[in-house]
Structures are given as structure tokens and as C-alpha cells.
Amino acid sequence: MTERKNGLTYADSGVDIDAGNRLVDLIKPMVRATARAGADAEIGGFGGLFDLKAAGFKDPVLVAATDGVGTKVKIAIETGLHDGIGIDLVAMSVNDLVVQGAEPLFFLDYFACGKLDPEATAAIVAGVAEGCRESGCALIGGETAEMPGLYKDGDYDLAGFAVGAAERGTLLPRPDIAIGDAVIGLASSGVHSNGFSLVRKIVEQSRVSFDAPAPFSPVMTLGGALLAPTKLYVKSCLRAIRETGAIKGLAHITGGGFTDNIPRVLPKHLGVGIDLARLPVLPVFKWLAEAGGIAELELLRTFNCGIGMIAIVKADAVERVMEVFTESGETVTLLGEVIHATGDHRVVYNGHLDLSQ
């Protein structure tokens, strides 16, 4: 074959195929560790396979969810702390599956960057694999895209796609949610993966660097504290659903907070009354509220404030449900009850958040 005069290669344009192959070699053992019934979690083919029959389903309904981690990645990039961001990615999708009563089955990720660093990227994928293992779903594929000119060296973004299943007739929310049902909250692990454009603005205005001690937790750096991975609620929620039969609905508290997310699982004529004095506000939110001068209602519509998952529960089964959640490692709080909705106000707040530091 005749050589071209200028002899340009793909590597000359900034894309390193060898680095991509190196990454695949690094992550194969991590991916294999996520294998489960229905999937062998091997990568390298053109698509991932999953066998619903081998997973034990008889008449399944598939449920899919996709998400990213937003501008939280900017803090990971600035601090060089990449280990937990993959857990965030998985959590944002699988938590959305379990609120519909579905068991997560498999996950695929998409990673885009300016210049591929196999070791740093492998650290991110290790977090994805850990999130999958903790959620009981297989990492069956993904895509890595090196795009110089679109991303600067060191910059990256990631997205994920999860598929779960539930037996027909078991999906949530149930149609029998009624006035008087209890509203239970499961504690969050921190800011999770929402509201980070506001978080970053507050940090900028406060002039506290990410490598300085966190004002609300001096034993950690500010960057490390803000990057605490999103909590995975899959196993505890599936256990409560299956063992109690009393979970009527679940709401993952993401962007929009309580105000926008809880109504998504309620019939149109119903709302919830929340006693804010019972809400265990985490120190990070108290600092954000103070440093940013954030009004209470804005705080409740932007952040989880300390509760990452809401459960709507039969009133006569509250103690049993709370016991199962506690045994599963959750910190549980009874926050209020289902009420009749009046107008557009589907979430009615009573009292005030304890924002004292």
C-alpha cells in the first residue's frame, strides 16, 4: 500500500486508540465483578445481553431510566477526586427504577472526554461497578468517547442507562394511595447529585477552596464532603416492598426537592403534609442555606435537605415498615401523612426547618 505524503494518524488528531484499549483491559475485572443471574457482565462485544428468564422473571414489565450527575463532575475534575462519581451515576438511575417497584437488572455507561487518561477513567468506572454491585445489577456495556476540540484536556462528562423489571401487577405507585397514609423519609448521604450549579456558586461567593476544611465538617475537605456519593436505596426499598406489602409509593428526591417530586407518585386529588421540624437537616444544607442566603422554600425545592427517598405507607403498617428499613441500614423518619390536595399546593409544609448550626 502506498504511503500518503503527510502521513497523518488518528493519534495526531488527539485520539489515542491504544489508550482506549488499555482502559478496556483495566476495567474488565471490575465489570466481571458485577455479574448476576441473567448476565455474565463481559464487555467487548457490540451489545450487552440479558436473559430475563434466567433472572427468574415470569411475566415481566421492563422499566428504563437514564441520567447523568450534572455539574457535580466539575468539582470532581477540580479536586481530582473521581472515585465516587461513578456511584452517583448508577444511583441516579437505579433509584429511579426502584421507586416504580422494579429490580435493576443491568446498566450501561457513556464517558466522554477531551484526552483519555486510562488510569483516571478506570477509577471512575470502578465507582460505576461498585454502584452496580451494591444495586444488584450487571454492568453489561458502555462507551468511551475521546473528543478533543469539544472537551478540554482533563474535562469529562458521563451518563448512564439502567433497565429493571417488575412482575406485571406489582408496579408502583399503587392505585390505592389514600388520605391518612403515612409519609416516611429515608436519610440522604449528602447533596447527592442535584443543585450543584447553585452549590458551586455558593462556594465561589464564600471564597472557601475545595481543598480547605469543610465549614460544616472540618475533618473533611470541602470538595471531599460535597462529593459524598449519592445513597443507593435499591436493596432496602426492594426488601421493604417484598416483606411488608405495605409500600404504596416511593419518590426519589432529586432536582425539585420535596415540592416537585412527591406529587409525581400521588393521585391528582391528593397531596402530603410534611412536618418540617421532623426533617433531619444535614449540616451541609445548613451551611449552604447560611452561606447562600437561601430561603427555606427555595432550599426545599432545590435540595433533598437530608431525605433522599420518600415512602408512602399504609397507616397501620408504619412500625413494621420502619423496622425493615432500619434493619436494612436506613435512618428513617416519620414526616407526615397523605392529605386532600387543594389547588396547586400538593406538598404542604408545617413548621420550619431546623437550620441552626
Side-chain angles (χ1 to χ4, degrees), residues 120-191:
T121 307
I124 296 168
V125 177
V128 174
E130 181 179 347
C132 286
R133 286 196 305 273
E134 290 185 25
S135 304
C137 66
L139 178 56
I140 65 171
E143 174 68 11
T144 301
E146 195 173 15
M147 296 188 284
L150 185 58
Y151 294 91
K152 295 185 298 184
D153 285 0
D155 279 357
Y156 66 84
D157 196 10
L158 62 168
F161 181 94
V163 172
E167 294 292 357
R168 195 175 305 277
T170 66
L171 289 170
L172 297 179
R174 284 169 30 180
D176 62 340
I177 294 176
I179 293 172
D181 285 339
V183 178
I184 292 173
L186 307 184
S188 69
S189 56
V191 186

Side-chain angles (χ1 to χ4, degrees), residues 186 231 235-237 239-240 243-244 318-332:
L186 307 184
K231 195 168 191 342
K235 289 187 176 179
S236 62
C237 285
R239 180 182 172 188
E243 290 189 11
T244 71
V318 171
E319 289 188 9
R320 173 58 180 152
V321 170
M322 292 182 72
E323 179 184 18
V324 171
F325 274 129
T326 301
E327 289 174 355
S328 299
E330 302 290 355
T331 300
V332 194

Side-chain angles (χ1 to χ4, degrees), residues 8 10 63 75 101 103 121 142 173 190 213 222 244 249 280 286 292 325 332 348:
L8 284 176
Y10 207 4
V63 183
I75 299 178
E103 174 187 341
T121 307
L222 177 59
T244 71
K286 296 181 180 183
F325 274 129
V332 194
V348 177

Side-chain angles (χ1 to χ4, degrees), residues 1-307:
M1 182 178 291
T2 304
E3 292 290 331
R4 295 284 185 179
K5 185 176 181 180
N6 55 12
L8 284 176
T9 66
Y10 207 4
D12 292 328
S13 71
V15 178
D16 189 342
I17 295 175
D18 290 334
N21 292 334
R22 165 69 176 154
L23 173 63
V24 172
D25 290 338
L26 288 172
I27 66 176
K28 275 185 176 180
M30 307 172 194
V31 175
R32 289 192 188 106
T34 70
R36 54 152 293 160
D40 59 13
E42 286 290 337
I43 58 172
F46 287 96
L49 304 178
F50 194 91
D51 185 340
L52 283 166
K53 187 175 181 180
F57 287 91
K58 297 179 175 61
D59 186 18
V61 175
L62 294 179
V63 183
T66 185
D67 210 338
V69 296
T71 59
K72 188 173 186 177
V73 296
K74 292 287 289 182
I75 299 178
I77 291 167
E78 289 184 39
T79 61
L81 302 173
H82 307 292
D83 295 352
I85 208 79
I87 297 175
D88 285 303
L89 183 66
V90 175
M92 293 306 291
S93 285
V94 298
N95 286 344
D96 280 355
L97 294 183
V98 78
V99 300
Q100 295 173 88
E103 174 187 341
L105 302 176
F106 60 85
F107 189 86
L108 298 97
D109 66 320
Y110 172 80
F111 177 88
C113 63
K115 183 174 179 58
L116 185 62
D117 179 335
E119 281 69 26
T121 307
I124 296 168
V125 177
V128 174
E130 181 179 347
C132 286
R133 286 196 305 273
E134 290 185 25
S135 304
C137 66
L139 178 56
I140 65 171
E143 174 68 11
T144 301
E146 195 173 15
M147 296 188 284
L150 185 58
Y151 294 91
K152 295 185 298 184
D153 285 0
D155 279 357
Y156 66 84
D157 196 10
L158 62 168
F161 181 94
V163 172
E167 294 292 357
R168 195 175 305 277
T170 66
L171 289 170
L172 297 179
R174 284 169 30 180
D176 62 340
I177 294 176
I179 293 172
D181 285 339
V183 178
I184 292 173
L186 307 184
S188 69
S189 56
V191 186
H192 285 183
S193 297
N194 299 100
F196 271 88
S197 293
L198 178 56
V199 169
R200 288 169 46 245
K201 190 170 187 64
I202 292 170
V203 171
E204 180 183 351
Q205 290 182 350
S206 70
R207 298 184 179 179
V208 180
S209 64
F210 287 124
D211 59 0
F216 51 88
S217 181
V219 298
M220 303 179 70
T221 64
L222 177 59
L226 292 174
L227 287 170
T230 304
K231 195 168 191 342
L232 293 153
Y233 297 101
V234 171
K235 289 187 176 179
S236 62
C237 285
L238 286 177
R239 180 182 172 188
I241 291 168
R242 293 165 177 171
E243 290 189 11
T244 71
I247 304 291
K248 294 187 176 184
L250 293 166
H252 185 200
I253 306 304
T254 55
F258 286 12
T259 307
D260 291 347
N261 284 296
I262 298 177
R264 295 169 66 182
V265 302
L266 298 173
K268 295 296 184 184
H269 66 289
L270 296 179
V272 296
I274 302 291
D275 184 351
L276 293 180
R278 298 182 182 179
L279 205 155
V281 183
L282 296 177
V284 60
F285 298 112
K286 296 181 180 183
W287 177 75
L288 289 169
E290 176 66 24
I294 307 174
E296 185 176 66
L297 289 178
E298 183 69 14
L299 202 69
L300 288 161
R301 198 179 183 187
T302 306
F303 300 113
N304 67 64
C305 295
I307 295 293

